[in-house]
Amino acid sequence: MDYIKIEDIPEEFVGLANFMGIDKFIEFCNEYGGIAIYFPSKKTLLRNGRNREIIKMYNGKNIKDLARAFEISEVQVRNIIRTSGKCIN
């Protein structure tokens, strides 16, 4: 689509088009144009990974150690474990 130029893209999307490249941006618009899309923040992505690690490392007796290691409260560790469906001792 050589006839679509960067100046044809609405201003609020120019940064994304530059990041992706105009051809990929056009493909993206073709696939997702007209719908609202939420992109998670990096903080959310990191939190999900952290929670998986906590669940994996939990041994039934190490809530305090996990809280210290991940710099969160023991209550947060308990909530993460409880949400996973694991039993808390």
Side-chain angles (χ1 to χ4, degrees):
M1 299 217 176
D2 293 335
Y3 57 90
I4 297 176
K5 303 291 181 206
I6 198 76
E7 54 268 12
D8 298 324
I9 297 172
E11 185 178 335
E12 62 267 27
F13 298 105
V14 169
L16 184 59
N18 284 328
F19 177 77
M20 299 173 77
I22 197 162
D23 290 337
K24 287 289 181 192
F25 181 75
I26 293 167
E27 286 180 42
F28 185 85
C29 290
N30 187 49
E31 184 71 26
Y32 301 104
I35 64 171
I37 299 174
Y38 164 78
F39 291 95
S41 67
K42 183 178 178 183
K43 182 179 176 182
T44 298
L45 299 174
L46 291 171
R47 183 179 58 233
N48 292 341
R50 177 205 65 194
N51 291 356
R52 274 193 310 277
E53 285 300 304
I54 289 171
I55 292 162
K56 186 168 73 174
M57 294 171 67
Y58 177 63
N59 65 16
K61 301 176 184 174
N62 61 342
I63 288 176
K64 187 175 291 226
D65 294 334
L66 291 170
R68 219 175 295 122
F70 289 94
E71 298 179 348
I72 60 176
S73 71
E74 291 179 37
V75 171
Q76 285 177 288
V77 173
R78 283 188 186 89
N79 286 337
I80 292 165
I81 295 165
R82 189 174 295 116
T83 302
S84 77
K86 280 191 171 183
C87 205
I88 297 176
N89 297 336

